[in-house]
Amino acid sequence: MTFRFKRALRAARLIGAMGAIGAATVGAASTAHAASFFDGFDGTGGAGPAWETATWHNGTPFGCGFAYSEVWKDAGNMVLNVNAGTGRCGEIRTQQSFTYGKFTTRLKASTFAGGNTSFFLYTGTAGTASHFEIDIELIKGGTVLHTNVWKGGVQNYKQFPIATGWQTLGFEWRENFVRWFTVNAQGGETTIRHQIVSVSTPMRLMLNHWRGDNSPDAIGFLGQWNGGGGQAQYHWVKVRWGE
């Protein structure tokens, strides 16, 4: 994310599971350095044991609070819902942390104005030297791909136009670079961005779907929220070390 509210919202995002503290810290309790992870989101119910589901409100610029009620599986997809009526939305994060690898998802972002569909890695206390993050965020009605890497609380972002609908996106995180890419129907990758950067701190993989609260910073980043809501869907999530 690109605006000054980023630090506050990332800190608030992780407060719930860590207790009522002033800033959030996500540790690396279970680090996967050479392991793989896959979830096809089959079955029913909530996110499942591989994930922690958020149950808190981050405050401004978020216009909704994360809740179990907005996270469920449907027809082989993970659904993270923004409920415009109740002011609730969905977020999950892996129980384990990762160091390096290729992180890929097949997703369908929401298209209502003022929303955010995300796939990202995160650790640390936002806005401090412990803050590390690698982002894919689909904003502006799902038409803008926001890519970002945070190192020691300092961000480096670029944005790109992108089509709406089902698509396969990911990023490759290595010792000295991060590469964002799309994947076509034949499995071929097209690099969107290649950023030279050295990040080695383990991070947890997170998915969330939320909408802005129409504060000036939220509007600047996400656009004006006009009362819409709906689903972001994730067909699968894959992490591979050796690819």
Side-chain angles (χ1 to χ4, degrees):
M1 296 181 179
T2 60
F3 297 92
R4 62 182 181 273
F5 69 75
K6 176 66 184 290
R7 294 180 177 181
L9 72 88
R10 288 301 196 208
R13 170 176 284 163
L14 302 174
I15 287 175
M18 305 299 291
I21 56 178
T25 300
V26 178
S30 176
T31 302
H33 186 85
S36 298
F37 175 89
F38 179 82
D39 198 333
F41 301 125
D42 297 322
T44 59
W51 302 87
E52 179 183 15
T53 301
T55 58
W56 54 87
H57 197 299
N58 288 350
T60 190
F62 287 78
C64 54
F66 296 120
Y68 284 120
S69 61
E70 308 311 317
V71 175
W72 67 85
K73 299 187 187 80
D74 179 56
N77 298 317
M78 170 58 64
V79 175
L80 301 181
N81 190 51
V82 169
N83 190 319
T86 64
R88 296 174 180 171
C89 48
E91 175 181 276
I92 60 176
R93 60 186 178 181
T94 55
Q95 300 287 356
Q96 73 181 89
S97 297
F98 301 91
T99 305
Y100 309 132
K102 186 177 286 188
F103 300 79
T104 315
T105 186
R106 182 155 180 80
L107 59 76
K108 184 179 181 181
S110 63
T111 58
F112 65 87
N116 186 325
T117 300
S118 75
F119 176 74
F120 64 104
L121 293 168
Y122 182 94
T123 196
T125 301
T128 73
S130 68
H131 177 197
F132 296 89
E133 184 172 352
I134 302 171
D135 292 321
I136 284 177
E137 296 177 279
L138 296 166
I139 59 175
K140 308 287 187 181
T143 64
V144 173
L145 170 62
H146 178 85
T147 66
N148 203 356
V149 56
W150 287 79
K151 179 179 179 179
V154 178
Q155 67 175 332
N156 187 327
Y157 72 89
K158 290 185 179 180
Q159 296 182 342
F160 306 88
I162 194 166
T164 58
W166 282 103
Q167 54 202 302
T168 304
L169 303 170
F171 50 83
E172 183 179 5
W173 171 30
R174 301 299 180 187
E175 290 91 337
N176 61 357
F177 71 87
V178 178
R179 179 180 68 92
W180 290 262
F181 57 87
T182 62
V183 183
N184 64 25
Q186 292 72 43
E189 294 180 7
T190 298
T191 297
I192 301 169
R193 176 187 178 190
H194 188 285
Q195 183 66 47
I196 301 300
V197 62
S198 178
V199 175
S200 60
T201 304
M203 292 184 275
R204 293 168 74 176
L205 181 63
M206 300 182 66
L207 320 175
N208 69 17
H209 183 215
W210 55 281
R211 55 96 169 172
D213 63 358
N214 285 342
S215 62
D217 285 335
I219 292 172
F221 180 59
L222 303 174
Q224 178 85 30
W225 180 66
N226 296 320
Q231 301 178 0
Q233 300 179 67
Y234 301 78
H235 191 47
W236 49 259
V237 167
K238 178 173 66 175
V239 180
R240 294 290 184 267
W241 167 255
E243 292 185 358

